[in-house]
Amino acid sequence: MSKLIFERSVPGSSAFSLPEGDVPSVELQDSLQGFLRESDPPLPEVSEVEVVRHFTELSTKAFGVDSGMYPLGSCTMKYNPKINEWAARLPGIAGLHPDQPEETVQGALELMYELEQMLCEITGMNRYTLQPASGAHGEMTGASLIKAYHEQRQDFRRKKMVVPDSSHGTNPATAHMLGFELVEVRSNERGLVDVDDLCSLMSDEIAGLMLTNPNTLGLFEEEILEISKVVHEAGGLLYYDGANLNAVMGVARPGDMGFDIVHLNLHKTFGTPHGGGGPGAGPVGVKEFLVDLLPIPLVGKKDGQYCLDYDVPHSIGKVQSFYGNFGVMAKAYAYIKALGGKGIREACRHAVLNANYLRHNLSDFYEITYDRLCKHEFVASAVRQKKECGVTALDVAKRLIDYGYHPPTIYFPLIVDEGLMIEPTETETKERLDGFIEAMQEIAKEAKENPELVKEAPTNAPIRRVDEVTAARRPILKWK
Amino acid sequence: MATEIKEGLYYSDEHEWVRVDEDNANIGITDYAQHQLGDIVFVELPDLDSEFDAEESIGVIESVKAVSDMHTPVSGTVTAVNEGLDDVPESLNSNPYEEHIVVIKMSDRSELDKLMNAKEYADFCEKEE
């Protein structure tokens, strides 16, 4: 284990030196009487070189897309092109103040305006708000729009939100937070929404259905038009969770499938960093009849000038300070412009091809739940390994770390036992994919011949297997 | 894997057991349920005196794998909760039939007729496998 920066502290060391001030110094005691702390804060005292070494050492222990393949299902951990970083750091973008007058930020507004238009084109929606700062935040915004829509029509009975039993955990969580009662629709034997079950759940109390397409099994909801009809005829709205848009972008559009509201994850689908790599952005798009409800301000254009438009009659209000994470928008804008319409479609096709290449080649060693043509991801299962050798999905995932791969998403969706949800994305080369197949094949062999090795993994990582159970039951939340 | 099923208890298809003591229903989760959940790390208990209808969610069980609702197989009022689970949630893994989660004073004893006995529950689990 690396030492903490606090453990490197040596009293008297410091990592800064300030020049003599050119203004008269003032005794803090005189101006801040009564507000001064009694003792110095317990900050680490470390020399500059030791600070640099500390963080350099930590950086070598982190794993990201820049260090290796990261097939984390449903998270679309694609490579983030460096040119996007360059774009977001341009002085005209990075140096803006959010309170600047509109006439001085025309370029920034134009970028937001055009990004919105491109997202509308890609998804088949009419308008977008760019404010939400993450996917979950976008969901919250989208579900708030559903609520506002029904309330505005004085239809106060619609308290139930339908989610599939394979849904992302955030879907029921979002609906629950907004006070909706949850209703689960079953998956059928093909892993898709059971339309008969859906029909039986419909009533005048249904607010809407939250769906990903393709779903979390990587399977396209083939009956989406029928699903749309059923939900709309019951008076509900259809919500598209954009987590899996990478599987259809440039080929099919949620708007054409009948979805009324869409949230996107710019940090998944549109090549901006994910997780610790930067903040997210979760734009929410709607069909025309919901535009009046969108958060204020929207980005508009009047007399050839871009402007912030606060004239949204039934707006649900602001959902984020200022206009959202503008730097992320700049990166997504650069990404879409660099790929172009043709490139977006090609990226999608390669993502689907890569997933099917892995699925096909892993099917000899692992059970593949719903083993047929998939979209951008698929779910393998370690049930065979568990039954025959006592090796679980968790063990396989940990052993992958030893082989230099980030583990896939495991035990999800909940309807698959010992699930390993694998999404390679379009940015992996065939050689990398072959390496991953080889590692998975090797682990299946080890599970048979030397199960203890797999159960003890990881053995080559900076730390061995962490005790997740104790960490969850009795967490230690601070140092010492 | 072999799961333990106790005689003399009522069982629900959500894998809860009920031990009847006069009008009180002691409710817990079965050995099968704790196997499926894996290591349990947190149990959210209902408030005392709160009232529930049968099959309503009365709390949450969180394991390393998943977060699941816990349901009551019978209607009634919560008269006691197993506060020991706040500190030692893993006792549901080690002693599923010794550790009840809540005690509910039943408002309709006839609901017990809809539940399974040990033999029926054993068949039910076999089908689930």
Side-chain angles (χ1 to χ4, degrees):
Chain A
M1 285 276 265
S2 305
K3 275 186 176 172
L4 299 177
I5 189 89
F6 289 90
E7 290 171 296
R8 292 175 183 267
S9 180
V10 177
S13 303
S14 71
F16 67 94
S17 74
L18 297 175
E20 196 79 18
D22 55 1
V23 289
S25 52
V26 180
E27 268 306 310
L28 275 181
Q29 285 290 6
D30 301 337
S31 50
L32 288 173
Q33 224 163 14
F35 291 100
L36 278 184
R37 57 191 311 151
E38 282 164 8
S39 56
D40 287 338
L43 295 174
E45 297 177 72
V46 188
S47 68
E48 180 174 330
V49 66
E50 287 301 324
V51 172
V52 170
R53 284 176 185 156
H54 175 69
F55 287 105
T56 304
E57 185 194 334
L58 287 185
S59 76
T60 63
K61 293 182 174 171
F63 187 94
V65 180
D66 288 355
S67 25
M69 186 171 155
Y70 207 131
L72 196 61
S74 237
C75 290
T76 313
M77 303 301 286
K78 62 171 78 174
Y79 169 67
N80 307 144
K82 299 305 167 221
I83 193 169
N84 300 350
E85 300 299 322
W86 166 82
R89 282 168 174 74
L90 288 171
I93 287 176
L96 295 180
H97 190 282
D99 273 333
Q100 260 176 260
E102 281 172 14
E103 61 270 23
T104 69
V105 290
Q106 284 294 303
L109 291 173
E110 184 177 356
L111 185 151
M112 291 167 77
Y113 187 88
E114 283 192 10
L115 176 62
E116 183 185 341
Q117 284 193 323
M118 294 190 294
L119 297 179
C120 283
E121 175 61 31
I122 292 169
T123 56
M125 306 307 281
N126 293 103
R127 286 300 309 257
Y128 267 87
T129 171
L130 302 173
Q131 277 177 38
S134 71
H137 193 189
E139 267 184 56
M140 189 84 177
T141 305
S144 299
L145 290 170
I146 296 181
K147 199 172 180 180
Y149 166 76
H150 292 306
E151 283 175 359
Q152 200 204 346
R153 296 182 305 114
Q154 309 283 314
D155 189 347
F156 299 110
R157 279 167 310 177
R158 298 192 178 267
K159 297 277 184 211
K160 291 184 178 168
M161 188 71 84
V162 186
V163 295
D165 56 10
S166 63
S167 82
H168 284 128
T170 47
N171 295 169
T174 301
H176 180 76
M177 276 191 76
L178 285 167
F180 287 111
E181 193 185 314
L182 286 159
V183 185
E184 209 170 75
V185 58
R186 270 200 312 261
S187 299
N188 61 23
E189 70 287 348
R190 301 190 69 231
L192 304 174
V193 168
D194 185 327
V195 179
D196 289 338
D197 191 40
L198 183 69
C199 287
S200 73
L201 298 173
M202 289 298 121
S203 74
D204 59 5
E205 291 182 356
I206 295 297
L209 167 67
M210 298 178 84
L211 203 63
T212 48
N213 194 16
N215 65 17
T216 52
L217 296 161
L219 303 173
F220 191 82
E221 294 287 353
E222 294 157 5
E223 291 183 275
I224 184 61
L225 296 177
E226 181 63 21
I227 291 169
S228 164
K229 198 169 145 218
V230 167
V231 173
H232 286 130
E233 278 178 0
L237 296 186
L238 199 55
Y239 179 93
Y240 186 83
D241 175 331
N244 297 342
L245 184 72
N246 211 44
V248 294
M249 67 171 185
V251 177
R253 309 195 305 173
D256 300 336
M257 300 174 201
F259 287 94
D260 305 297
I261 303 175
V262 167
H263 95 256
L264 305 177
N265 302 275
L266 297 186
H267 48 280
K268 291 184 182 182
T269 319
F270 296 105
T272 78
H274 201 147
V284 172
V286 297
K287 290 275 176 67
E288 195 63 50
F289 72 101
L290 294 168
V291 171
D292 275 358
L293 299 169
L294 283 174
I296 44 172
L298 294 170
V299 181
K301 195 177 181 183
K302 265 184 208 136
D303 308 324
Q305 290 282 302
Y306 296 97
C307 58
L308 293 170
D309 180 6
Y310 285 84
D311 184 20
V312 185
H314 303 287
S315 173
I316 59 167
K318 279 184 84 65
V319 296
Q320 166 78 339
S321 61
F322 295 110
Y323 327 108
N325 287 329
F326 179 62
V328 183
M329 297 173 206
K331 293 177 197 182
Y333 179 89
Y335 177 84
I336 297 171
K337 283 285 189 189
L339 260 64
K342 216 174 130 207
I344 291 275
R345 177 190 286 246
E346 202 177 306
C348 166
R349 287 183 162 169
H350 280 199
V352 172
L353 179 63
N354 284 359
N356 279 289
Y357 183 69
L358 288 189
R359 179 184 58 82
H360 179 77
N361 282 292
L362 291 181
S363 61
D364 288 342
F365 320 103
Y366 297 88
E367 202 163 294
I368 309 287
T369 319
Y370 308 105
D371 195 6
R372 62 174 197 267
L373 196 69
C374 64
K375 289 283 177 271
H376 66 311
E377 67 190 5
F378 63 98
V379 182
S381 165
V383 276
R384 205 183 298 161
Q385 283 72 18
K386 189 180 175 189
K387 203 172 254 174
E388 290 168 9
C389 349
V391 166
T392 64
L394 178 73
D395 300 326
V396 173
K398 296 289 185 192
R399 185 66 180 148
L400 269 172
I401 297 173
D402 285 336
Y403 282 92
Y405 296 92
H406 192 285
T409 301
I410 53 172
Y411 298 112
F412 187 82
L414 301 174
I415 55 174
V416 176
D417 282 334
E418 299 299 323
L420 292 148
M421 186 189 201
I422 298 169
E423 178 181 8
T425 83
E426 70 277 15
T427 53
E428 296 304 329
T429 61
K430 180 169 176 296
E431 291 69 30
R432 279 282 172 190
L433 298 176
D434 287 337
F436 180 76
I437 293 163
E438 218 170 278
M440 287 291 282
Q441 190 177 347
E442 201 57 35
I443 294 168
K445 208 167 118 198
E446 288 169 352
K448 270 190 200 147
E449 293 165 3
N450 192 358
E452 284 314 308
L453 182 67
V454 186
K455 283 194 237 181
E456 280 174 13
T459 47
N460 299 333
I463 52 171
R464 299 291 301 272
R465 191 172 304 197
V466 290
D467 184 348
E468 289 168 5
V469 177
T470 305
R473 280 176 185 160
R474 278 172 268 287
I476 300 167
L477 299 174
K478 64 191 263 287
W479 179 60
K480 280 195 178 166
Chain B
M1 78 195 77
T3 55
E4 190 191 358
I5 295 172
K6 287 231 162 162
E7 290 291 336
L9 302 179
Y10 293 94
Y11 293 92
S12 78
D13 53 10
E14 299 268 4
H15 303 282
E16 289 108 10
W17 56 257
V18 178
R19 180 181 288 123
V20 175
D21 177 13
E22 296 185 349
D23 275 345
N24 290 322
N26 294 267
I27 299 168
I29 58 167
T30 65
D31 190 36
Y32 180 91
Q34 70 83 15
H35 267 299
Q36 290 293 318
L37 288 166
D39 291 307
I40 293 167
V41 295
F42 180 71
V43 182
E44 189 182 298
L45 300 164
D47 292 331
L48 280 179
D49 298 325
S50 46
E51 287 176 36
F52 293 98
D53 288 334
E55 291 173 24
E56 236 183 309
S57 162
I58 56 168
V60 175
I61 299 178
E62 190 176 334
S63 75
V64 284
K65 274 199 237 166
V67 178
S68 318
D69 278 338
M70 143 110 199
H71 304 88
T72 171
V74 292
S75 309
T77 310
V78 176
T79 57
V81 296
N82 183 352
E83 279 167 8
L85 296 174
D86 280 342
D87 291 329
V88 198
E90 58 267 42
S91 49
L92 289 182
N93 288 122
S94 44
N95 291 313
Y97 293 108
E98 306 305 316
E99 297 283 347
H100 69 278
I101 298 174
V102 293
V103 181
I104 284 190
K105 191 168 171 16
M106 290 180 279
S107 57
D108 179 5
R109 285 187 64 109
S110 72
E111 285 169 352
L112 292 170
D113 301 339
K114 293 178 201 151
L115 301 177
M116 292 176 263
N117 64 26
K119 168 91 182 53
E120 288 161 338
Y121 180 63
D123 293 343
F124 178 75
C125 288
E126 204 152 297
K127 268 187 221 141
E128 293 262 294
E129 274 290 314

